Amino acid sequence: MMMRQITLLGAATIALAATMPAAAQEGAIDKRVERLEKEMRAVQRSVFPGGSPTFFEGEIAPDNTPGERARSNAPVIDLTARVDALENQLQTLTGQTEQNAFQLRELEKQFTAYKAEMDKRFADPAAAAAVATPAGLTPTVKPPATTSTVAATPVKKPAAKPATTTPDAARLALVKKIEVPASGNETKDAYDYGYRLWEAKLYPEAQVQLKQVVTKWPKSSQASFAQNLLGRAYLDEGKPSLAAVAFYNNYKDRPSGARAPHSLMYMGVALDKLGRKADACKAFRELEEVYGDKAPQDVRTDAAAAKTKAGC
């Protein structure tokens, strides 16, 4: 009888000892799951800023494919395999997020370089004067003739030729034909004048006028219109690099402005003209993500056509 009790006590002790590692393993798995859930939520906040956590469904489903892995009746072993798969998926998603962040930083660096080039051009008074005033209108001062003791030989003057219209004078005449608005609203009149110059395809003069509007009234409602039209003037003149900078600045500085969606769409067009199709596609995707149905219908229509043209 005594030997039977000892045998039963030993068997119970062995069974209890066998269950202890499984319980400890379940505790370790729970900690890993909690940590993975926190990391996944952090990645979701980074990839989908402002999104609701309940909106995103889990991307890791139980493996129901036969032959992929051996089935086990032990819940701990099955949970361990699922947690391993979840960790691998999280590492992949984290790597993709870091790559996207790096590409965005590189794009911002390139835009900063474009902006510096544009600011340098407009900061140079000589360059600004060359754009604002045609070269042919600059007065030419001739040096005084030197006095000579030798009698000058009479020189027969050439016959006077009829005055001809120079290209610069012809362009000045076109500028003078543009009526300057005078409604009493200084800001709107300045923008409307720049718009009329752009509409007449006098792009350099329109660029100077529109930049003055943005510089003088950066907080006005007309600034979004003027900066966007400035990019259009560069784009129509065949300068997509400067156009991309102008559009990017308008979208970055005035994201809620009336022409911010237009600038984001045209920035994609300018990048496509520069041969940077991947960056152009990013601009079109950002237009959809940021503005969506809030963007004007014409912007969405033009963006869809430009997106197809870029091969996005």
Side-chain angles (χ1 to χ4, degrees), residues 92-284:
T92 302
L93 183 58
T94 303
Q96 293 175 351
T97 304
E98 292 177 351
Q99 291 178 359
N100 292 336
F102 173 76
Q103 293 176 355
L104 287 175
R105 287 194 300 269
E106 291 297 315
L107 181 60
E108 288 181 355
K109 289 180 182 178
Q110 294 170 357
F111 276 132
T112 302
Y114 287 139
K115 183 176 182 300
E117 178 184 352
M118 183 186 68
D119 292 341
K120 181 180 179 181
R121 174 171 299 194
F122 282 102
D124 187 359
V131 175
T133 306
L137 300 180
T138 305
T140 303
V141 180
K142 295 182 179 180
T146 56
T147 304
S148 175
T149 56
V150 181
T153 305
V155 179
K156 184 179 180 180
K157 294 183 179 179
K161 295 182 180 180
T164 57
T165 304
T166 62
D168 291 330
R171 189 173 187 84
L172 181 60
L174 292 176
V175 174
K176 287 183 177 180
K177 289 182 180 179
I178 305 300
E179 182 181 359
V180 179
S183 65
N185 187 334
E186 186 181 6
T187 307
K188 188 175 184 304
D189 288 344
Y191 167 74
D192 289 343
Y193 182 53
Y195 180 85
R196 293 178 182 181
L197 290 170
W198 169 77
E199 195 174 29
K201 298 183 179 181
L202 299 171
Y203 300 128
E205 292 80 4
Q207 292 159 11
V208 174
Q209 178 66 22
L210 294 169
K211 186 164 181 65
Q212 288 177 355
V213 175
V214 177
T215 303
K216 193 172 182 179
W217 300 284
K219 301 298 182 181
S220 69
S221 59
Q222 297 295 328
S224 179
F225 288 88
Q227 184 73 17
N228 180 72
L229 192 58
L230 175 63
R232 293 283 303 277
Y234 282 129
L235 195 61
D236 293 340
E237 196 184 8
K239 299 178 179 178
S241 297
L242 295 177
V245 176
F247 291 132
Y248 174 73
N249 287 338
N250 196 38
Y251 166 64
K252 180 188 68 174
D253 298 338
R254 304 168 191 87
S256 58
R259 286 294 185 266
H262 301 70
S263 292
L264 190 53
M265 186 271 293
Y266 279 115
M267 182 175 68
V269 174
L271 290 171
D272 183 37
K273 287 183 177 296
L274 290 170
R276 297 170 54 182
K277 295 187 179 297
D279 294 333
C281 293
K282 289 180 182 178
F284 295 136

Side-chain angles (χ1 to χ4, degrees), residues 85-96:
L86 181 59
E87 285 181 336
N88 294 333
Q89 181 71 15
L90 181 59
Q91 291 176 358
T92 302
L93 183 58
T94 303
Q96 293 175 351

